[in-house]
Each structure stands twice: as C-alpha cells, then as structure tokens.
Amino acid sequence: MPQRSWPQLPTGQPWQWRLAMLPAGWLHAASLAWPGHGAALWWLQLLSLALLCKALLAAPRRRDGALLGWLFGTSWLVGTFWWLFTSMHTYGGLAAPLAAAGVLALALFLALYYAAACALFKHFSFTHRAVNALVFAACWLLAELARGVLWTGFPWGASGYAHISGLLFPLARWVGVYGIGAAAAGLAMLLAQVRRSDLRDPKIWAMCGYGAMLLFGLHAQRQLTLNNYRHEQPPLSVALLQGNIPQDEKFQAGTGIPLALQWYSRQLYASQADLTLAPETAIPLLPQQLSPGYLDGLRSWFSTWGDHRAALVGMPLGNAAQGYTNSVIGWSPAEPSAYRYDKHHLVPFGEFIPPFFKWFTEMMNIPLGDFNRGAVGQPSLPWAGERIAPNICYEDLFGEELGARFRDPASAPTIMANMSNIGWFGDTVAIDQHLAISRLRALEFERPMLRATNTGATAVIDHRARVTHRLPAFQRKALNAQVQGRGGAVTPYAWWVSRWGLAPLWALGLGLAAWAWLRRRRH
C-alpha cells in the first residue's frame, strides 16, 4: 500500500499569529459578558475561537500550537477574571503589583490546559475537515474538564457560558455547559477551514442544512417539553433581599455589622412573601455572637407567628471545637427545627487555605478561615408544595454537584436558590458573568433559579433561563416577585450527571482522542 502523503498547511509568519492570539483571547472573554451591558455574545465566542483554530492549522509544529493555545488562554482568562485584582488589592490590601501578578500567574497556570489541548490537536491533525473538528472538540473538552476539576476546579468563564442564547443553547439540557463548549469548539474549527470554493460545493451546503435541521429539531423538542408541562402548585411569591452593605465595612463591628443586623431583620419581619431570601453571610456573626433573642425571635416568627411564611438566610455556623461552616439556615411553619444547608464547594484562599500558601493569605486583610465542607446532594427545603435547593456563592458554577440532588425525581428540587456576596469584586463584569452562570444552570436542569445577593445581581430566572425580574446593582432594596416551580421528569443532563458526574464527558473526550491516535497510526 503506497505511503499516504499529507499536504503541508501554510505556516504564515509565527509572530503574526502569536500576536493575534492576545486580542482573540480578550474577545473570547468579552463574549461571555460584554462590558457595559453584560450580554453574552455567542457569535463572538465562535469567531474568536475560530481565529485560534486558523492559527493552529497554520502552525508547523506541536510546540507552536502549544504556544498559541497558551497565549490565547492567558489573554482569555485574564480578561475573564481580572476582577480578582479588586478583591486582593481594593479590599484585601495587597499591593497592586502583587495583586496583578497573582491574577496573571493564575491565568498563566490555567492556560496550560489549553496549551496542552492545542499541542495534542497538532499531534493528531488531519486533512479531513470533519475529523479535525471532532478531534479539536475532544481536545477542548478535555482542557475545559481539567480546568473545572483539578486543583479544586475553577471553571469560571468556560466557553459554553457564551451560549445562553443563540444556536447551541438547546444542547444544555442534554450535555451541559462542557458539552456546549465542545460543540462550539468543533464548529469553530469547521469555520476556520472554510474555503472560498466551498460556496460552490453542494456537499458543504447539504452538511450545513443537516446541522441546521438537527439544531432546529433539538430546539423544537425542548419547546414542546416546556410547553406541555403543567405544574400543580400555584406561583410562589418571593422577596429577595439585597443589603448592599459596603464590602470594606461588612465585617466591621462599628459599621457594617450593625447595619446588616438591623436592615435584614427589619426586612425579614416585614416581608409578606411566601419565601424570603437573604444572601450569603447576610447575618455576618455566629449565633453565639448575636444579641440574646435575635435569632430566636426570627425562628419564632417564621416557625409559629409568621402567617405561613418561610425564609432562607445566609450566616456562618459552628464553633472552634467542631469547626465552622458557611451556611444557610431556614425557617418555616412546616419544619419544627431549623433547616440547614452547609456550603460544599469552598473557595481556595477565601474559605480554606491551600497547603504552603498561608504566607500569601497573611498579606491580605480579608477575613479568611478554614471552613468545614458540607455534603454533596443535601436535602432541599420543603415549602408550599415546592422543594427549594440553596447553593452558596460560586457553587452554582459546578452543575455536576448541583445535579446530585436530581437522582430521585420525587425529591429533586423544584426551585434552586443562589445566595451570594460578590461585593469583593466591586462594580465589575463579575456580576453579569455570575448571572450568566445561574442562567446556564437553569437551562441544564430546567428549573427556576432565585438569586439573593449583597450587591448584585439579585434576580429571578425562570426555567427557560429568562431573567424575569432583576434589581439594579448596588441598591439597598428588596425584590418582590413570583416564581413558578417545576417538578416531574428531569432533563437528560440531570439524569446522567446525577448518576455518573462528569465521567461520560471524560469518556467521550478520551475516547475521541484514542480514536484519533489509532487513526493516525493507521495512516
């Protein structure tokens, strides 16, 4: 059998491609939440990633591909979570050069996943365009999974979050955010390989038609499922409290603490809603640090005298002997004892100190602690025919952990609730990015998401991922609205992720990589 020769792709000028990766990566970051109005731009995500794909196809060697991926990834990640500088410098008191270096170092480290993905693609790259798209999608999927799982995981700004609308969002109920990211990567590689002659090729137009029909079918199937569902319970009235306590005063005994205790207690007693939510650490003291009767009064009000109303409130719990937890406590007439949810996925450096990094945290003036972890899949709060499942801060970033509650449809949440304080990041794009994360969870599980935050974005997201109500950021106010819960059958994504976690996606990515390796050996 004659040896097959592989035609060489044009190499171009390496420095030009490398330079282009910096603005391409920044545009990729901006596509997740465009600065100014916070909208996700799915088409911009595809175009910016297609530019990386174009550069990869032109790269002559694996190490060139790795460098391109590293530059793109670093620019993308710095542009995504640059607001960490605000928490470390503005509120943590860390010197600006050290804070900037910390953000850059984190981005450089996490970008290594994408450098490895691009090097792997160059090792496997083929002349067949569809095969290239599959291989690149697999490599990208593995990089995104690694970033989301290893070293406690930090998948903030994963590429799939740009697709809360547009072409690919119907995939969320099937494959989740990582699956959407992989599909976007494959589509970007196909775009990068388009040639002018393709406009006259009927096969290319037929493939585009088949793809459009598939996406249309998925969208129609999703709409049919949503439209045919009927929930037995009436809408639930909710009050979402946004205290807007200045972050630099929040834990100060003479300013932020008394302000929080007074404002939140007044709002909780005055609320006429079926369910009232107060954000993460709305009560910023441990129960034993509160004045006598403060917590007992709230418990009695909602458990006995609250006119059939319930509340979920964020506050720390525990003691020095047993350890501390970042928690949500709940009261309702249906529960004789207080409901409790303990945060499972803790923030490195904020809620626990990684080994060998105590020296770094000692340079910041942020109230840090080593908290205990709650269990995965803790029970929901049953109230008014609904099952309300709280999560705290960036826990809504980990759909595979939220999904553990959906294994039994009979006890699965009908409403999800995120309680956050991202006041650490100031008036930055982090607010809109976090809103997009919650919206993607609503797409994956087709359950509404309530968001009660200290500074924003306090909002109601319905089961279709639409923001139906939202408070302006940085206002001290209560958002009164209604939300319709959803029960019954769970989405395909909720079904498999509740049983196997992310293992099916790992198997898919590794399986495609193994297939590419065997195919290359055969040729």
Side-chain angles (χ1 to χ4, degrees):
M1 182 175 180
Q3 183 71 25
R4 182 172 181 177
S5 61
W6 299 92
Q8 294 295 314
L9 291 164
T11 60
Q13 294 294 325
W15 69 267
Q16 293 173 333
W17 284 121
R18 294 169 189 172
L19 189 63
M21 292 302 97
L22 299 179
W26 184 88
L27 288 173
H28 196 263
S31 72
L32 304 171
W34 186 260
H37 57 68
L41 305 176
W42 62 272
W43 55 268
L44 184 61
Q45 190 274 331
L46 289 176
L47 292 178
S48 57
L49 192 57
L51 185 57
L52 169 63
C53 295
K54 195 78 172 176
L56 281 176
L57 294 169
R61 295 161 297 195
R62 286 193 298 267
R63 65 184 183 185
D64 297 301
L67 181 58
L68 291 168
W70 197 39
L71 291 171
F72 180 91
T74 300
S75 178
W76 160 27
L77 296 174
V78 167
T80 299
F81 51 66
W82 59 269
W83 36 259
L84 288 171
F85 173 89
T86 304
S87 62
M88 291 188 287
H89 173 62
T90 304
Y91 298 115
L94 191 65
L98 287 176
V103 174
L104 179 60
L106 179 62
L108 287 168
F109 174 73
L110 296 178
L112 291 173
Y113 296 126
Y114 302 98
C118 292
L120 189 63
F121 170 76
K122 282 307 299 181
H123 180 73
F124 290 141
S125 57
F126 299 93
T127 55
H128 194 289
R129 288 184 278 182
V131 173
N132 269 346
L134 280 175
V135 172
F136 183 69
C139 295
W140 194 261
L141 174 62
L142 292 174
E144 295 267 67
L145 288 171
R147 179 159 76 97
V149 171
L150 301 181
W151 310 104
T152 79
F154 189 54
W156 191 287
S159 53
Y161 287 110
H163 297 272
I164 52 179
S165 62
L167 290 176
L168 301 179
F169 83 91
L171 295 175
R173 72 187 312 270
W174 295 92
V175 293
V177 67
Y178 294 120
I180 292 177
L187 187 53
M189 180 56 73
L190 288 175
L191 288 173
Q193 298 175 100
V194 170
R195 296 189 291 260
R196 189 175 302 176
S197 60
D198 293 334
L199 298 176
R200 301 186 298 271
D201 189 340
K203 293 182 180 178
I204 297 296
W205 286 105
M207 289 179 59
C208 291
Y210 292 145
M213 289 173 60
L214 174 62
L215 290 174
F216 178 80
L218 290 173
H219 179 75
Q221 187 271 340
R222 173 180 177 272
Q223 288 296 110
L224 185 64
T225 301
L226 294 175
N227 292 338
N228 287 342
Y229 177 80
R230 295 293 180 268
H231 193 53
E232 297 177 357
Q233 302 300 325
L236 194 72
S237 63
V238 296
L240 311 179
L241 307 183
Q242 181 174 284
N244 193 33
I245 311 298
Q247 192 58 48
D248 52 357
E249 300 178 14
K250 183 173 173 62
F251 297 100
Q252 299 299 316
T255 53
I257 291 177
L259 175 60
L261 295 179
Q262 293 168 15
W263 190 82
Y264 281 113
S265 66
R266 187 165 61 246
Q267 295 296 320
L268 286 164
Y269 282 119
S271 176
Q272 298 297 308
D274 298 325
L275 175 68
T276 304
L277 269 62
E280 177 187 17
T281 60
I283 299 177
L285 297 177
L286 294 162
Q288 57 269 30
Q289 296 173 317
L290 294 167
S291 60
Y294 183 92
L295 212 56
D296 288 337
L298 288 171
R299 181 186 301 113
S300 296
W301 176 254
F302 285 99
S303 299
T304 307
W305 308 109
D307 194 22
H308 305 294
R309 298 185 182 97
L312 287 169
V313 180
M315 68 178 297
L317 298 176
N319 54 53
Q322 298 176 341
Y324 302 97
T325 57
N326 187 355
S327 301
V328 168
I329 57 173
W331 306 294
S332 74
E335 292 291 319
S337 58
Y339 169 83
R340 175 173 174 174
Y341 170 81
D342 297 330
K343 186 178 182 184
H344 167 74
H345 207 113
L346 303 178
V347 179
F349 304 105
E351 293 168 324
F352 76 95
I353 302 172
F356 313 116
F357 277 94
K358 191 172 183 179
W359 63 272
F360 182 73
T361 59
E362 287 176 346
M363 293 191 293
M364 293 185 286
N365 300 320
I366 294 178
L368 305 172
D370 274 328
F371 286 89
N372 295 332
R373 297 178 185 273
V376 175
Q378 296 171 61
S380 304
L381 170 71
W383 175 239
E386 306 291 353
R387 295 181 291 274
I388 299 101
N391 58 85
I392 300 175
C393 191
Y394 83 150
E395 281 191 306
D396 62 343
L397 191 58
F398 302 91
E400 65 276 15
E401 294 175 2
L402 270 59
R405 291 164 157 168
F406 287 82
R407 186 161 191 175
D408 179 10
S411 62
T414 59
I415 298 173
M416 299 184 290
N418 179 263
M419 336 273 279
S420 291
N421 172 35
I422 56 174
W424 295 109
F425 311 124
D427 188 8
T428 67
V429 73
I431 293 174
D432 293 314
Q433 290 174 345
H434 200 192
L435 181 63
I437 289 167
S438 290
R439 291 181 65 189
L440 207 292
R441 297 292 84 80
L443 281 176
E444 289 172 342
F445 298 112
E446 292 178 358
R447 297 293 193 268
M449 177 78 83
L450 304 175
R451 289 179 49 83
T453 71
N454 180 29
T455 56
T458 297
V460 176
I461 303 167
D462 71 7
H463 62 283
R464 298 175 185 263
R466 300 175 300 193
V467 178
T468 60
H469 304 79
R470 179 180 179 180
L471 276 183
F474 299 98
Q475 290 187 11
R476 186 170 299 135
K477 199 171 181 181
L479 175 62
N480 291 285
Q482 288 192 330
V483 62
Q484 179 69 68
R486 275 181 61 88
V490 300
T491 63
Y493 171 80
W495 185 89
W496 63 258
V497 85
S498 65
R499 288 161 172 77
W500 305 306
L502 297 176
L505 292 178
W506 279 106
L508 176 63
L510 292 171
L512 285 172
W515 170 76
W517 178 73
L518 291 172
R519 182 183 174 96
R520 184 170 179 83
R521 284 199 64 185
R522 195 160 52 243
H523 291 296

